[in-house]
Amino acid sequence: MGLFDFLKSDKKKAHDAAGKAAEQVEQQAGEGRRPPAGSAADAASATRATAERMAAAAPPRPVPATPTPTSAAHKAVPAPPRPTVMPKPVASSAAAPGAMHTPTPHSAAHKAVPAAPTREPGATAKQRTYTVKPGDTLPGIARDQLGNEARWRELYAMNRGAVGSNPDLVRPGTVLTLPG
């Protein structure tokens, strides 16, 4: 028996059970109480009968178990993290009315403080340069001039226009700008 045959047999069993439920409903309703065909009451009773057939044919739904504080399932579920509350500063009566206040990350004073000005590269600092010699490589220049061979990528990124698309080919005489 294949999968589809199995499903068909389940469908047929459900249809047979629905038919039996409909017969029982009709027997209970009685023959004399049937409204005339085509009326709204007939449509309502047909809808009710269909709903009852569907309910009778449907398998019962399993009730999900709710974990209790003493069950193993409850202990397996981690508790949600509790939000931390920042302690509010206590107003000191000893502080003078005009005393300085240290802004906290949550205070309005902290948000009103402007960011520190950024230093423009050419305005105040003199940029260092290096002229490539025969046999030089970017990792070698980074090691000698910057103190770390791994900074060759940074050196290449700053001088991509002068070096070109191949970082392995650095031409002698090329002037490179060194990062700070």
Side-chain angles (χ1 to χ4, degrees):
M1 175 184 271
L3 177 64
F4 292 109
D5 295 332
F6 177 74
L7 293 174
K8 284 182 186 178
S9 68
D10 279 353
K11 246 184 183 178
K12 185 176 180 186
K13 288 178 188 175
H15 185 3
D16 291 345
K20 287 181 183 178
E23 288 176 16
Q24 290 175 355
V25 169
E26 286 180 21
Q27 287 176 358
Q28 290 174 356
E31 295 293 314
R33 295 178 31 202
R34 183 168 281 184
S39 70
D42 186 34
S45 66
T47 304
R48 209 174 302 116
T50 303
E52 289 173 0
R53 279 195 312 270
M54 290 173 64
R61 291 185 181 179
V63 178
T66 305
T68 61
T70 57
S71 69
H74 177 76
K75 293 174 184 160
V77 177
R82 294 184 181 186
T84 58
V85 178
M86 295 289 292
K88 292 185 179 183
V90 178
S92 172
S93 59
M100 293 295 292
H101 170 72
T102 304
T104 63
H106 302 293
S107 68
H110 175 76
K111 294 174 180 132
V113 176
T118 58
R119 186 176 60 137
E120 293 184 22
T124 58
K126 187 176 180 182
Q127 287 188 340
R128 296 186 324 161
T129 59
Y130 177 79
T131 305
V132 178
K133 299 177 186 117
D136 278 346
T137 62
L138 288 179
I141 297 168
R143 180 182 57 242
D144 296 340
Q145 299 298 316
L146 304 175
N148 187 354
E149 187 174 307
R151 291 184 68 188
W152 73 268
R153 288 183 178 88
E154 183 181 356
L155 183 64
Y156 175 62
M158 285 187 71
N159 297 287
R160 182 171 273 142
V163 174
S165 62
N166 187 357
D168 294 329
L169 179 62
V170 185
R171 291 180 175 74
T174 305
V175 178
L176 302 176
T177 304
L178 299 175

